[in-house]
Amino acid sequence: MFVTGLLLAAEGSPHLGVPWQSLAYNGETLLGSTLDTARECGFDQLIVTLGTASEQIHDRIDFDGVRVVVSPHADTGSSSIVPALDAVDRRTDGIVVLLGDQPGITSAAVWSLVAEVAGPSTPLGISHYDDGPGYPVWCARELFGGLRQLRSDDDLWQLADHHPVTQVDAIGNIPPRIRTWPDYHRTLGHPAPDDPPHTSLTARPRRRRTTH
């Protein structure tokens, strides 16, 4: 089975005031960390979507071996999944959707999901945590037509209203997303002040390597 990983990182960060992708996290950047996890999954193809801050992000993150798709309208709520579909390898049986601002998702959760959908044809596979459904999500090729109709990335969940769903158990609660400064500080295990952090919390640039 040929599997494409799709890491969504095009959404802006209006509550932060700086690109969330470049925040310091786990010794590098937040997006760099989630990208490393995606690489650990061993996808046959790995795609990452970027938005209007793509130029700033390119200077700070290593995209070696990754297909980058720029979705400039994602900040206004448009789906970044739709343009990414044009970059999906024609051999792909399906995509595993991940979020770039959700560093708690593990490669083990991805492997469990893929193992469940690798047998009988499964159009839609959703990870199910102790507190409900979440990412990663599996979408088989037969759903690509429906994916192209999405207005926003969050509309992905509406596919569950129209297609059979395989729920795959995932350990613990849904990993938190980092959308605000309190989110960020809680994820780091620090107190959560309301004020933006100092510039030292923005990771240093990394050498850029991009696969087109």
Side-chain angles (χ1 to χ4, degrees):
M1 187 167 70
F2 193 105
V3 179
T4 293
L6 177 56
L7 186 65
L8 304 181
E11 188 176 353
S13 46
H15 298 294
L16 292 173
V18 297
W20 62 262
Q21 296 89 342
S22 299
L23 291 177
Y25 183 85
N26 199 26
E28 50 175 297
T29 62
L30 176 54
L31 179 55
S33 180
T34 55
L35 193 53
D36 285 345
T37 298
R39 286 190 177 100
E40 292 173 4
C41 296
F43 294 117
D44 298 291
Q45 180 190 26
L46 181 55
I47 299 172
V48 61
T49 63
L50 298 179
T52 55
S54 61
E55 291 187 6
Q56 302 174 54
I57 297 165
H58 265 95
D59 292 334
R60 298 180 178 276
I61 297 170
D62 179 5
F63 289 104
D64 184 35
V66 178
R67 177 69 182 270
V68 175
V69 175
V70 177
S71 180
H73 302 296
D75 284 345
T76 61
S78 295
S79 173
S80 65
I81 295 175
V82 175
L85 290 174
D86 291 333
V88 173
D89 192 289
R90 59 183 178 81
R91 297 168 292 176
T92 296
D93 294 293
I95 61 175
V96 173
V97 184
L98 301 160
L99 300 181
D101 63 352
Q102 198 172 24
I105 292 180
T106 64
S107 56
V110 172
W111 292 332
S112 295
L113 178 68
V114 173
E116 287 289 333
V117 302
S121 177
T122 303
L124 185 61
I126 297 177
S127 301
H128 198 277
Y129 297 85
D130 292 345
D131 55 348
Y135 293 92
V137 171
W138 160 263
C139 296
R141 176 171 284 279
E142 64 189 86
L143 295 185
F144 285 10
L147 291 175
R148 289 190 180 277
Q149 304 305 313
L150 299 182
R151 293 190 174 185
S152 71
D153 289 343
D154 287 341
D155 288 345
L156 172 66
W157 297 100
Q158 296 180 8
L159 294 178
D161 297 332
H162 307 286
H163 299 278
V165 177
T166 297
Q167 294 192 5
V168 180
D169 289 339
I171 298 175
N173 292 330
I174 299 172
R177 299 182 64 180
I178 297 178
R179 294 179 165 182
T180 65
W181 288 120
D183 293 339
Y184 176 62
H185 286 283
R186 279 193 295 268
T187 302
L188 295 179
H190 299 162
D194 292 329
D195 296 332
H198 299 295
T199 55
S200 60
L201 289 182
T202 300
R204 295 180 179 179
R206 296 183 64 182
R207 187 176 180 179
R208 175 167 65 93
R209 291 176 290 177
T210 305
T211 299
H212 295 286

